[in-house]
Amino acid sequence: MHAPTAQDLSKNSEILEILSGVYDRVIGNSDGTVANYIPELAKADPDKFGLAIATTTGALYSVGQAELEFTIQSISKAFAYCMALEIYGREKVFEHVGVEPSGDAFNAIVFDPHTNRPFNPMVNAGAITVTAMLREAAGDGALRLLLDRFSDAAGRPLVVSDAVYRSEAEAGDRNRAIGYLLRNVGAITGPCEPAVDLYFQQCSILVTANDLARMAATLANIGQNPVTGKQVFSVSAVRDTLSAMLSCGTYDYSGNWILDVGFPAKSGVGGGIAGVVNRQMGIGVYSPRLDPKGNSVRGTAAFRQLSDDLGLHIFEWSNYGSQYLRSSG
Ligand code: GLN
């Protein structure tokens, strides 16, 4: 099979067929469990499954429950990081947060032993640092800033789920502890509680698989929303964000992700994953059952399959995809 290029994609019904094929192959997988350490997340219907592709030419293809809202959770970390890079410049951000994979769980209480800073912006410690920087820059207007920018990336107004936010805040002692430790090592310089609170709100923004695909397509399109034409993020911030998503976006699964999927993505414990195929498309998946590392089980399977079927791995060497590799032994 030939791998479609960005040009074919805008009017390619083959894409919808491939998406449906992936859906059919993955829907039967009921492994994993819905996150329950944030009580409100435990209410998610485990069987829901939505898949969407948004191209950089503005087309949207989706199957399943791609219009169902869930909270963005850690996927927000990628977009918040992009904003901090723009506001502060990369040198300043790098002084506070590293870019090395931690090899640890997303909520690990561990800092880089060489720098005493969080390993990267995709684990909680690094993300709370980034959000604290946004709060320092925008004060009480920081949530509005986050919502506006996320909405511009998605192409529709996004809002916070109050129920999930309150649930996160109630169950958020581990993140608060991380926040205080960050202050202790100097990664956070301002007050801790408002920064962690903003992080809870940021994680509680409601999105759909379609939104994730569109937000990811904005990154794929070097920061410009392909539908509205608005330049949402700067080119250089997008480059650095995609780099961190590639190396660290699925926590301590990131090495395997690069191997089997082979393009940048960010997962969240709400069950979403957003993936970016540079200059071609954004992919959004929702399925709330998670593996032990906190990544959506069906989401991961769907990304692997899509990468194979469309030949999306950054090191894809032929037009045949890895299906060919397997069949040729
Ligand atoms: N709000 C969640 C937390 O901080 C986000 C974690 C995630 O999605 N991996 O625990």
Side-chain angles (χ1 to χ4, degrees), residues 80-97 128-139 142 145 149 187-190 195 198 234 236-237 240:
Y81 184 55
C82 203
M83 291 169 65
L85 286 165
E86 254 177 61
I87 293 171
Y88 286 94
R90 67 203 303 251
E91 276 70 32
K92 182 76 185 156
V93 174
F94 294 168
E95 277 173 28
H96 290 255
V97 193
I128 292 169
T129 304
V130 164
T131 301
M133 293 180 82
L134 293 178
R135 201 181 184 286
E136 282 287 292
L145 193 71
R149 206 64 82 80
I188 290 184
T189 49
L198 179 63
S234 76
S236 58
D240 290 340

Side-chain angles (χ1 to χ4, degrees), residues 31-172:
D31 293 346
T33 46
V34 175
N36 58 11
Y37 72 101
I38 298 169
E40 199 62 27
L41 294 186
K43 296 181 182 167
D45 178 345
D47 290 323
K48 297 291 188 232
F49 184 30
L51 258 173
I53 286 179
T55 70
T56 52
T57 50
L60 181 73
Y61 303 90
S62 42
V63 294
Q65 281 100 30
E67 290 283 6
L68 192 74
E69 288 190 322
F70 54 93
T71 52
I72 190 166
Q73 295 299 332
S74 282
I75 303 163
S76 67
K77 295 168 178 173
F79 297 93
Y81 184 55
C82 203
M83 291 169 65
L85 286 165
E86 254 177 61
I87 293 171
Y88 286 94
R90 67 203 303 251
E91 276 70 32
K92 182 76 185 156
V93 174
F94 294 168
E95 277 173 28
H96 290 255
V97 193
V99 288
E100 292 301 336
S102 66
D104 280 307
F106 67 86
N107 58 0
I109 302 183
V110 55
F111 301 138
D112 185 327
H114 303 292
T115 62
N116 224 8
R117 295 285 182 270
F119 275 98
N120 66 69
M122 304 298 155
V123 291
N124 288 13
I128 292 169
T129 304
V130 164
T131 301
M133 293 180 82
L134 293 178
R135 201 181 184 286
E136 282 287 292
D140 289 341
L143 178 62
R144 192 65 263 160
L145 193 71
L146 280 157
L147 278 169
D148 285 349
R149 206 64 82 80
F150 284 29
S151 300
D152 282 345
R156 75 168 184 113
L158 303 178
V159 296
V160 169
S161 159
D162 236 37
V164 175
Y165 159 59
R166 274 188 269 110
S167 188
E168 285 222 38
E170 202 132 302

Side-chain angles (χ1 to χ4, degrees), residues 20-319:
S20 302
V22 170
Y23 181 90
D24 290 343
R25 259 168 293 167
V26 172
I27 184 89
N29 186 340
S30 55
D31 293 346
T33 46
V34 175
N36 58 11
Y37 72 101
I38 298 169
E40 199 62 27
L41 294 186
K43 296 181 182 167
D45 178 345
D47 290 323
K48 297 291 188 232
F49 184 30
L51 258 173
I53 286 179
T55 70
T56 52
T57 50
L60 181 73
Y61 303 90
S62 42
V63 294
Q65 281 100 30
E67 290 283 6
L68 192 74
E69 288 190 322
F70 54 93
T71 52
I72 190 166
Q73 295 299 332
S74 282
I75 303 163
S76 67
K77 295 168 178 173
F79 297 93
Y81 184 55
C82 203
M83 291 169 65
L85 286 165
E86 254 177 61
I87 293 171
Y88 286 94
R90 67 203 303 251
E91 276 70 32
K92 182 76 185 156
V93 174
F94 294 168
E95 277 173 28
H96 290 255
V97 193
V99 288
E100 292 301 336
S102 66
D104 280 307
F106 67 86
N107 58 0
I109 302 183
V110 55
F111 301 138
D112 185 327
H114 303 292
T115 62
N116 224 8
R117 295 285 182 270
F119 275 98
N120 66 69
M122 304 298 155
V123 291
N124 288 13
I128 292 169
T129 304
V130 164
T131 301
M133 293 180 82
L134 293 178
R135 201 181 184 286
E136 282 287 292
D140 289 341
L143 178 62
R144 192 65 263 160
L145 193 71
L146 280 157
L147 278 169
D148 285 349
R149 206 64 82 80
F150 284 29
S151 300
D152 282 345
R156 75 168 184 113
L158 303 178
V159 296
V160 169
S161 159
D162 236 37
V164 175
Y165 159 59
R166 274 188 269 110
S167 188
E168 285 222 38
E170 202 132 302
D173 283 344
R174 190 180 179 90
N175 284 325
R176 268 186 214 100
I178 291 173
Y180 280 103
L181 282 172
L182 287 167
R183 230 167 88 88
N184 178 251
V185 298
I188 290 184
T189 49
C192 190
E193 285 282 341
V196 177
D197 197 60
L198 179 63
Y199 169 78
F200 294 146
Q201 288 176 306
Q202 167 196 312
C203 287
S204 304
I205 294 173
L206 288 164
V207 290
T208 65
N210 283 342
D211 291 329
L212 289 182
R214 289 225 145 106
M215 292 171 82
T218 297
L219 295 180
N221 201 34
I222 339 179
Q224 186 185 40
N225 183 312
V227 177
T228 65
K230 187 163 185 171
Q231 192 69 37
V232 186
F233 302 111
S234 76
V235 174
S236 58
V238 168
R239 199 185 91 143
D240 290 340
T241 300
L242 292 178
S243 302
M245 287 169 74
L246 182 62
S247 56
C248 315
T250 48
Y251 322 112
D252 43 341
Y253 187 73
S254 297
N256 273 288
W257 185 275
I258 296 173
L259 201 67
D260 287 336
V261 179
F263 54 86
K266 184 74 205 83
S267 60
V269 291
I273 305 181
V276 178
V277 183
N278 201 27
R279 317 292 163 93
Q280 290 193 61
M281 68 181 97
I283 301 173
V285 178
Y286 172 62
S287 176
R289 285 198 199 90
L290 309 179
D291 65 22
K293 296 187 173 182
N295 300 311
S296 166
V297 174
R298 280 181 183 155
T300 302
F303 267 94
R304 289 171 63 149
Q305 195 65 54
L306 272 173
S307 181
D308 275 6
D309 290 357
L310 290 170
L312 301 178
H313 195 292
I314 46 174
F315 302 127
E316 188 62 66
W317 60 275
S318 77
N319 281 337

